Amino acid sequence: MERVVISVGGSVLIPEKNDSEYIRALADVLRGCAESVDIAVVCGGGRIARYYAGIGRSLGGTEYQLDELGIAITRVNARLLSIALGDASAGIATDPKECADKAKGGAVAVMGGTEPGHTTDAVAAMIAREMRADRIINASNVDAVYSEDPRENPDAERFGEMTIGQLKEIVYDDHSACRSCVFDPLGVSMCMEDCRDIYMVNGRDLEELENAILGRPIKGTKVNGD
Ligand code: UTP
């Protein structure tokens, strides 16, 4: 059986407008796919995490403390997804090893962040290492990887496929926004060491997400790990 780790952006789970129907539909897709693929999901914090971090910063919080706020929100989001999964939830793990162990037998393992200093993309890479996952799927609200921010440069190149070395160049060049760049730099480095593929897809497009989980062709970017 193939093994897959999904990093779902917080902004995908909790967009501007309350959208429990999306989380319900996402859970249905995960439940269906878990019959043929072992699945672990890491939930991001998104807008709500940034909101709390902003308040914490105004109160004089340290980076470490702001990261702790973010982690707390990612864990709340993991709880929401676990509720939506119902019987198909393997429960909420607190570390990558436990998460990898739980992702078996048709049940979907779920978790949020771990420690300060990185984002949930890096947690996905840690779980993938424990699980020896076939691929990581980054489900964000961006449809693919671009050479630059397409909102700022309409001529930015859109990648259908790329090497992990090319992705590394992009994330390490992106000094301005490393914390919220296309994929966490630590996660990219780990996937490079492990020769692991990363599928970058729009997580709001559930057909696209399902194709990525099942290893079918995608509309987004396939990052080749070797
Ligand atoms: P996210 O993984 O959602 O980060 O964690 P992000 O990339 O900034 O958010 P998206 O992808 O745009 O939605 C939210 C915050 O929680 C802290 C970090 O501060 C991160 O920015 N965090 C999360 C950690 O410190 N450690 C973790 O393991 C996870």
mmCIF file of all heavy atoms in Angstrom, residues 157-187:
data_model
loop_
_atom_site.group_PDB
_atom_site.id
_atom_site.type_symbol
_atom_site.label_atom_id
_atom_site.label_comp_id
_atom_site.label_asym_id
_atom_site.label_seq_id
_atom_site.Cartn_x
_atom_site.Cartn_y
_atom_site.Cartn_z
ATOM 1 N N GLU A 157 7.027 32.457 -14.189
ATOM 2 C CA GLU A 157 6.919 31.138 -14.816
ATOM 3 C C GLU A 157 6.142 30.191 -13.896
ATOM 4 O O GLU A 157 6.387 30.139 -12.691
ATOM 5 C CB GLU A 157 8.331 30.584 -15.061
ATOM 6 C CG GLU A 157 8.339 29.285 -15.822
ATOM 7 C CD GLU A 157 9.745 28.675 -15.949
ATOM 8 O OE1 GLU A 157 10.728 29.354 -15.592
ATOM 9 O OE2 GLU A 157 9.826 27.534 -16.384
ATOM 10 N N ARG A 158 5.209 29.445 -14.487
ATOM 11 C CA ARG A 158 4.437 28.462 -13.723
ATOM 12 C C ARG A 158 5.015 27.084 -14.017
ATOM 13 O O ARG A 158 5.152 26.699 -15.173
ATOM 14 C CB ARG A 158 2.973 28.513 -14.182
ATOM 15 C CG ARG A 158 2.053 27.600 -13.427
ATOM 16 C CD ARG A 158 0.684 27.622 -14.096
ATOM 17 N NE ARG A 158 -0.348 27.036 -13.264
ATOM 18 C CZ ARG A 158 -0.542 25.733 -13.128
ATOM 19 N NH1 ARG A 158 0.222 24.872 -13.771
ATOM 20 N NH2 ARG A 158 -1.499 25.272 -12.341
ATOM 21 N N PHE A 159 5.349 26.354 -12.977
ATOM 22 C CA PHE A 159 5.971 25.041 -13.168
ATOM 23 C C PHE A 159 4.925 23.927 -13.115
ATOM 24 O O PHE A 159 4.172 23.839 -12.147
ATOM 25 C CB PHE A 159 7.013 24.781 -12.083
ATOM 26 C CG PHE A 159 8.177 25.734 -12.104
ATOM 27 C CD1 PHE A 159 8.217 26.826 -11.249
ATOM 28 C CD2 PHE A 159 9.237 25.537 -12.984
ATOM 29 C CE1 PHE A 159 9.286 27.703 -11.268
ATOM 30 C CE2 PHE A 159 10.310 26.417 -13.010
ATOM 31 C CZ PHE A 159 10.338 27.509 -12.147
ATOM 32 N N GLY A 160 4.911 23.073 -14.138
ATOM 33 C CA GLY A 160 4.064 21.886 -14.107
ATOM 34 C C GLY A 160 4.827 20.764 -13.418
ATOM 35 O O GLY A 160 4.268 19.936 -12.715
ATOM 36 N N GLU A 161 6.125 20.805 -13.608
ATOM 37 C CA GLU A 161 7.009 19.810 -13.008
ATOM 38 C C GLU A 161 8.340 20.506 -12.730
ATOM 39 O O GLU A 161 8.724 21.419 -13.456
ATOM 40 C CB GLU A 161 7.218 18.656 -13.983
ATOM 41 C CG GLU A 161 7.510 17.355 -13.297
ATOM 42 C CD GLU A 161 7.261 16.141 -14.212
ATOM 43 O OE1 GLU A 161 6.393 16.209 -15.082
ATOM 44 O OE2 GLU A 161 7.966 15.153 -14.018
ATOM 45 N N MET A 162 9.010 20.117 -11.680
ATOM 46 C CA MET A 162 10.316 20.711 -11.383
ATOM 47 C C MET A 162 11.114 19.745 -10.506
ATOM 48 O O MET A 162 10.552 18.786 -9.971
ATOM 49 C CB MET A 162 10.152 22.072 -10.678
ATOM 50 C CG MET A 162 9.575 21.993 -9.285
ATOM 51 S SD MET A 162 8.950 23.586 -8.654
ATOM 52 C CE MET A 162 10.359 24.624 -8.783
ATOM 53 N N THR A 163 12.402 20.022 -10.357
ATOM 54 C CA THR A 163 13.201 19.182 -9.469
ATOM 55 C C THR A 163 13.178 19.797 -8.067
ATOM 56 O O THR A 163 12.896 20.992 -7.903
ATOM 57 C CB THR A 163 14.669 19.113 -9.925
ATOM 58 O OG1 THR A 163 15.228 20.430 -9.807
ATOM 59 C CG2 THR A 163 14.790 18.606 -11.348
ATOM 60 N N ILE A 164 13.521 18.999 -7.089
ATOM 61 C CA ILE A 164 13.534 19.524 -5.722
ATOM 62 C C ILE A 164 14.655 20.565 -5.558
ATOM 63 O O ILE A 164 14.539 21.498 -4.775
ATOM 64 C CB ILE A 164 13.596 18.386 -4.682
ATOM 65 C CG1 ILE A 164 13.269 18.924 -3.296
ATOM 66 C CG2 ILE A 164 14.916 17.688 -4.687
ATOM 67 C CD1 ILE A 164 12.278 18.149 -2.536
ATOM 68 N N GLY A 165 15.702 20.416 -6.377
ATOM 69 C CA GLY A 165 16.777 21.423 -6.358
ATOM 70 C C GLY A 165 16.257 22.790 -6.805
ATOM 71 O O GLY A 165 16.608 23.818 -6.226
ATOM 72 N N GLN A 166 15.388 22.792 -7.822
ATOM 73 C CA GLN A 166 14.799 24.063 -8.279
ATOM 74 C C GLN A 166 13.902 24.666 -7.189
ATOM 75 O O GLN A 166 13.908 25.871 -6.973
ATOM 76 C CB GLN A 166 13.969 23.826 -9.549
ATOM 77 C CG GLN A 166 14.806 23.654 -10.796
ATOM 78 C CD GLN A 166 13.915 23.273 -11.986
ATOM 79 O OE1 GLN A 166 13.197 22.260 -11.946
ATOM 80 N NE2 GLN A 166 13.943 24.071 -13.022
ATOM 81 N N LEU A 167 13.150 23.792 -6.495
ATOM 82 C CA LEU A 167 12.284 24.293 -5.418
ATOM 83 C C LEU A 167 13.133 24.886 -4.304
ATOM 84 O O LEU A 167 12.814 25.928 -3.735
ATOM 85 C CB LEU A 167 11.397 23.166 -4.872
ATOM 86 C CG LEU A 167 10.446 23.566 -3.749
ATOM 87 C CD1 LEU A 167 9.424 24.608 -4.225
ATOM 88 C CD2 LEU A 167 9.707 22.361 -3.187
ATOM 89 N N LYS A 168 14.254 24.237 -4.021
ATOM 90 C CA LYS A 168 15.137 24.727 -2.960
ATOM 91 C C LYS A 168 15.647 26.131 -3.285
ATOM 92 O O LYS A 168 15.686 27.009 -2.418
ATOM 93 C CB LYS A 168 16.305 23.760 -2.779
ATOM 94 C CG LYS A 168 17.087 24.032 -1.510
ATOM 95 C CD LYS A 168 18.025 22.913 -1.171
ATOM 96 C CE LYS A 168 18.654 23.193 0.188
ATOM 97 N NZ LYS A 168 19.532 22.152 0.631
ATOM 98 N N GLU A 169 16.000 26.330 -4.553
ATOM 99 C CA GLU A 169 16.464 27.671 -4.950
ATOM 100 C C GLU A 169 15.391 28.711 -4.693
ATOM 101 O O GLU A 169 15.672 29.795 -4.193
ATOM 102 C CB GLU A 169 16.826 27.696 -6.442
ATOM 103 C CG GLU A 169 18.242 27.254 -6.712
ATOM 104 C CD GLU A 169 18.502 27.086 -8.199
ATOM 105 O OE1 GLU A 169 17.950 27.871 -8.993
ATOM 106 O OE2 GLU A 169 19.234 26.150 -8.547
ATOM 107 N N ILE A 170 14.144 28.355 -5.000
ATOM 108 C CA ILE A 170 13.053 29.325 -4.811
ATOM 109 C C ILE A 170 12.838 29.610 -3.324
ATOM 110 O O ILE A 170 12.769 30.758 -2.918
ATOM 111 C CB ILE A 170 11.741 28.823 -5.467
ATOM 112 C CG1 ILE A 170 11.899 28.834 -6.992
ATOM 113 C CG2 ILE A 170 10.555 29.681 -5.052
ATOM 114 C CD1 ILE A 170 10.723 28.246 -7.740
ATOM 115 N N VAL A 171 12.788 28.571 -2.496
ATOM 116 C CA VAL A 171 12.464 28.834 -1.077
ATOM 117 C C VAL A 171 13.618 29.509 -0.341
ATOM 118 O O VAL A 171 13.389 30.293 0.575
ATOM 119 C CB VAL A 171 11.982 27.589 -0.290
ATOM 120 C CG1 VAL A 171 10.723 27.020 -0.888
ATOM 121 C CG2 VAL A 171 13.036 26.525 -0.160
ATOM 122 N N TYR A 172 14.854 29.245 -0.769
ATOM 123 C CA TYR A 172 15.960 29.906 -0.074
ATOM 124 C C TYR A 172 16.214 31.311 -0.606
ATOM 125 O O TYR A 172 16.816 32.128 0.065
ATOM 126 C CB TYR A 172 17.221 29.048 -0.111
ATOM 127 C CG TYR A 172 17.181 27.974 0.959
ATOM 128 C CD1 TYR A 172 16.730 26.697 0.682
ATOM 129 C CD2 TYR A 172 17.550 28.262 2.271
ATOM 130 C CE1 TYR A 172 16.651 25.721 1.662
ATOM 131 C CE2 TYR A 172 17.479 27.303 3.262
ATOM 132 C CZ TYR A 172 17.031 26.028 2.944
ATOM 133 O OH TYR A 172 16.941 25.073 3.926
ATOM 134 N N ASP A 173 15.704 31.603 -1.823
ATOM 135 C CA ASP A 173 15.802 32.970 -2.354
ATOM 136 C C ASP A 173 14.762 33.875 -1.727
ATOM 137 O O ASP A 173 14.918 35.071 -1.660
ATOM 138 C CB ASP A 173 15.539 32.977 -3.876
ATOM 139 C CG ASP A 173 16.817 32.741 -4.639
ATOM 140 O OD1 ASP A 173 17.832 32.578 -3.953
ATOM 141 O OD2 ASP A 173 16.772 32.704 -5.872
ATOM 142 N N ASP A 174 13.682 33.246 -1.277
ATOM 143 C CA ASP A 174 12.512 34.003 -0.841
ATOM 144 C C ASP A 174 12.709 34.494 0.599
ATOM 145 O O ASP A 174 11.971 34.157 1.497
ATOM 146 C CB ASP A 174 11.291 33.055 -0.936
ATOM 147 C CG ASP A 174 9.980 33.787 -0.755
ATOM 148 O OD1 ASP A 174 10.012 35.020 -0.669
ATOM 149 O OD2 ASP A 174 8.942 33.117 -0.692
ATOM 150 N N HIS A 175 13.766 35.335 0.786
ATOM 151 C CA HIS A 175 14.132 35.764 2.141
ATOM 152 C C HIS A 175 12.995 36.503 2.831
ATOM 153 O O HIS A 175 12.807 36.401 4.029
ATOM 154 C CB HIS A 175 15.345 36.688 2.089
ATOM 155 C CG HIS A 175 16.557 36.007 1.543
ATOM 156 N ND1 HIS A 175 17.092 34.888 2.114
ATOM 157 C CD2 HIS A 175 17.332 36.275 0.469
ATOM 158 C CE1 HIS A 175 18.143 34.497 1.414
ATOM 159 N NE2 HIS A 175 18.298 35.321 0.403
ATOM 160 N N SER A 176 12.238 37.239 2.024
ATOM 161 C CA SER A 176 11.220 38.111 2.603
ATOM 162 C C SER A 176 10.133 37.326 3.336
ATOM 163 O O SER A 176 9.573 37.803 4.301
ATOM 164 C CB SER A 176 10.581 38.932 1.494
ATOM 165 O OG SER A 176 10.077 38.050 0.526
ATOM 166 N N ALA A 177 9.833 36.132 2.877
ATOM 167 C CA ALA A 177 8.647 35.462 3.419
ATOM 168 C C ALA A 177 8.894 33.987 3.682
ATOM 169 O O ALA A 177 8.054 33.148 3.423
ATOM 170 C CB ALA A 177 7.499 35.628 2.442
ATOM 171 N N CYS A 178 10.064 33.670 4.227
ATOM 172 C CA CYS A 178 10.382 32.261 4.406
ATOM 173 C C CYS A 178 9.370 31.531 5.268
ATOM 174 O O CYS A 178 9.098 30.367 5.053
ATOM 175 C CB CYS A 178 11.779 32.101 4.991
ATOM 176 S SG CYS A 178 12.868 31.453 3.730
ATOM 177 N N ARG A 179 8.810 32.260 6.221
ATOM 178 C CA ARG A 179 7.858 31.631 7.127
ATOM 179 C C ARG A 179 6.557 31.264 6.410
ATOM 180 O O ARG A 179 5.799 30.458 6.881
ATOM 181 C CB ARG A 179 7.566 32.570 8.307
ATOM 182 C CG ARG A 179 8.634 32.504 9.377
ATOM 183 C CD ARG A 179 8.641 31.101 9.944
ATOM 184 N NE ARG A 179 9.730 30.880 10.850
ATOM 185 C CZ ARG A 179 9.620 30.993 12.152
ATOM 186 N NH1 ARG A 179 8.495 31.373 12.683
ATOM 187 N NH2 ARG A 179 10.646 30.740 12.910
ATOM 188 N N SER A 180 6.248 31.925 5.333
ATOM 189 C CA SER A 180 4.995 31.575 4.666
ATOM 190 C C SER A 180 5.259 31.369 3.175
ATOM 191 O O SER A 180 4.436 31.696 2.346
ATOM 192 C CB SER A 180 3.949 32.664 4.881
ATOM 193 O OG SER A 180 4.411 33.862 4.346
ATOM 194 N N CYS A 181 6.446 30.847 2.875
ATOM 195 C CA CYS A 181 6.742 30.657 1.457
ATOM 196 C C CYS A 181 6.114 29.353 0.964
ATOM 197 O O CYS A 181 5.431 28.655 1.699
ATOM 198 C CB CYS A 181 8.234 30.746 1.192
ATOM 199 S SG CYS A 181 9.176 29.536 2.054
ATOM 200 N N VAL A 182 6.394 29.041 -0.270
ATOM 201 C CA VAL A 182 5.674 27.973 -0.952
ATOM 202 C C VAL A 182 5.759 26.630 -0.200
ATOM 203 O O VAL A 182 4.781 25.905 -0.110
ATOM 204 C CB VAL A 182 6.146 27.904 -2.413
ATOM 205 C CG1 VAL A 182 7.628 27.718 -2.529
ATOM 206 C CG2 VAL A 182 5.438 26.853 -3.177
ATOM 207 N N PHE A 183 6.921 26.330 0.369
ATOM 208 C CA PHE A 183 7.056 25.148 1.233
ATOM 209 C C PHE A 183 8.187 25.462 2.210
ATOM 210 O O PHE A 183 9.189 26.050 1.826
ATOM 211 C CB PHE A 183 7.368 23.891 0.408
ATOM 212 C CG PHE A 183 7.051 22.603 1.112
ATOM 213 C CD1 PHE A 183 5.761 22.090 1.126
ATOM 214 C CD2 PHE A 183 8.052 21.893 1.770
ATOM 215 C CE1 PHE A 183 5.467 20.904 1.786
ATOM 216 C CE2 PHE A 183 7.760 20.704 2.437
ATOM 217 C CZ PHE A 183 6.463 20.212 2.441
ATOM 218 N N ASP A 184 8.027 25.077 3.457
ATOM 219 C CA ASP A 184 9.014 25.378 4.500
ATOM 220 C C ASP A 184 10.425 24.922 4.073
ATOM 221 O O ASP A 184 10.600 23.777 3.649
ATOM 222 C CB ASP A 184 8.568 24.618 5.751
ATOM 223 C CG ASP A 184 9.461 24.868 6.935
ATOM 224 O OD1 ASP A 184 10.644 24.502 6.875
ATOM 225 O OD2 ASP A 184 8.959 25.421 7.922
ATOM 226 N N PRO A 185 11.433 25.798 4.172
ATOM 227 C CA PRO A 185 12.788 25.440 3.728
ATOM 228 C C PRO A 185 13.342 24.186 4.414
ATOM 229 O O PRO A 185 13.998 23.365 3.761
ATOM 230 C CB PRO A 185 13.622 26.673 4.094
ATOM 231 C CG PRO A 185 12.637 27.790 4.128
ATOM 232 C CD PRO A 185 11.344 27.204 4.594
ATOM 233 N N LEU A 186 13.054 24.018 5.715
ATOM 234 C CA LEU A 186 13.523 22.800 6.397
ATOM 235 C C LEU A 186 12.857 21.569 5.775
ATOM 236 O O LEU A 186 13.511 20.540 5.539
ATOM 237 C CB LEU A 186 13.194 22.880 7.900
ATOM 238 C CG LEU A 186 13.417 21.604 8.705
ATOM 239 C CD1 LEU A 186 14.892 21.183 8.687
ATOM 240 C CD2 LEU A 186 12.923 21.767 10.148
ATOM 241 N N GLY A 187 11.569 21.699 5.464
ATOM 242 C CA GLY A 187 10.851 20.586 4.835
ATOM 243 C C GLY A 187 11.440 20.251 3.473
ATOM 244 O O GLY A 187 11.581 19.070 3.120
#
